[in-house]
Amino acid sequence: MNGGHPITTLFLDIGGVLLTNSWDQGTRKRAADKFHLDYGELNERHHLTFDTFEEGKLSLQEYLDRVVFYQDRPFSYDEFISFVYSQSTPFPAMIDLMCGLKDRYHLQIAAVSNEGREFTLYRVEKFGLRSFIDFFISSCFIHIRKPDEDVFRIALDVAQVPADQVVYIDDRAMFVEVAGKMGIEGIVHTDVDTTRKALEDRGLSLAKGS
């Protein structure tokens, strides 16, 4: 618990909380299968350069030139990226919960995420995230990635709130632990019902269907 301080702000991860992940292991495997790529080689090249992409230091095309298009392929960049984008889907119940809580408690909501620029911009627009998220602390914009503590310091500075007024929701336990050491209460997200209950325990309740 937060010692009685009111929660004024939510920090939310995007992939794994509001939407599926944009380019995780499952998506890479599906892409490898569809386009007949060597998954092991794709994955190795991915791990060697993905952090640089997520920090906004490579464009998506530059990243894919290193990981996929370092040799001639029988498919185009546009075909490949269209498939990858199509793998993103929303978690409507979580989005509805966040929208409902924002409206009821007049919360400030920030996305605090690791994601490349093109994925971020596409997903924000495609799924209307600006309709309830006030600002985006994405690794591609600030050029550092979670679990670097500076990500959370920047989020607090932009939000202009003390740490004890924030709840942070992420599906990665390590990131929640890092934020916790800075005084930010966290919830390790597994599903909407457990997250709903955890928020209720912190004074943010919303009836189902509201």
Side-chain angles (χ1 to χ4, degrees):
M1 300 296 290
N2 68 351
H5 296 284
I7 300 301
T8 64
T9 304
L10 297 179
F11 289 172
L12 307 178
D13 190 24
I14 294 179
V17 175
L18 300 175
L19 313 174
T20 55
N21 289 312
S22 57
W23 184 234
D24 60 6
Q25 183 173 340
T27 307
R28 295 195 299 278
K29 184 65 168 63
R30 290 191 292 274
D33 290 344
K34 177 174 177 59
F35 293 99
H36 307 292
L37 300 171
D38 182 322
Y39 174 70
E41 187 172 14
L42 170 69
N43 219 31
E44 181 179 4
R45 284 177 169 266
H46 162 80
H47 286 300
L48 289 172
T49 198
F50 191 61
D51 289 2
T52 309
F53 169 62
E54 280 200 327
E55 289 173 352
K57 298 173 183 177
L58 284 177
S59 70
L60 180 56
Q61 182 150 7
E62 289 169 330
Y63 162 78
L64 289 176
D65 283 345
R66 296 183 182 187
V67 175
V68 177
F69 295 100
Y70 55 90
Q71 63 185 57
D72 290 339
R73 299 294 187 186
F75 51 86
S76 69
Y77 170 86
D78 287 341
E79 288 173 314
F80 189 84
I81 198 58
S82 292
F83 173 79
V84 174
Y85 282 162
S86 74
Q87 301 303 295
S88 287
T89 58
F91 298 132
M94 271 300 293
I95 291 174
D96 289 347
L97 176 61
M98 295 302 105
C99 290
L101 290 173
K102 180 182 179 70
D103 288 345
R104 181 172 186 182
Y105 295 99
H106 308 290
L107 298 173
Q108 180 174 219
I109 295 183
V112 182
S113 63
N114 287 347
E115 197 160 54
R117 176 175 291 271
E118 290 86 349
F119 286 138
T120 298
L121 297 178
Y122 169 78
R123 282 148 62 89
V124 167
E125 183 68 26
K126 173 69 175 178
F127 300 106
L129 300 186
R130 282 192 299 270
S131 67
F132 66 98
I133 295 176
D134 297 294
F135 56 91
F136 295 81
I137 306 298
S138 180
S139 58
C140 63
F141 300 151
I142 62 174
H143 308 304
I144 50 176
R145 303 169 68 251
K146 298 181 290 187
D148 192 318
E149 289 184 357
D150 280 349
V151 172
F152 300 102
R153 291 191 182 97
I154 290 169
L156 289 171
D157 284 345
V158 173
Q160 287 292 289
V161 292
D164 60 12
Q165 291 183 15
V166 179
V167 170
Y168 169 50
I169 303 172
D170 199 308
D171 61 323
R172 303 291 180 90
M174 177 190 285
F175 297 163
V176 171
E177 291 163 8
V178 170
K181 291 180 179 179
M182 301 177 65
I184 299 171
E185 270 202 275
I187 296 170
V188 180
H189 176 75
T190 56
D191 59 70
V192 65
D193 289 332
T194 55
T195 293
R196 181 190 295 270
K197 178 62 168 62
L199 287 166
E200 288 175 356
D201 292 343
R202 290 159 175 82
L204 299 175
S205 63
L206 191 71
K208 289 187 178 181
S210 296

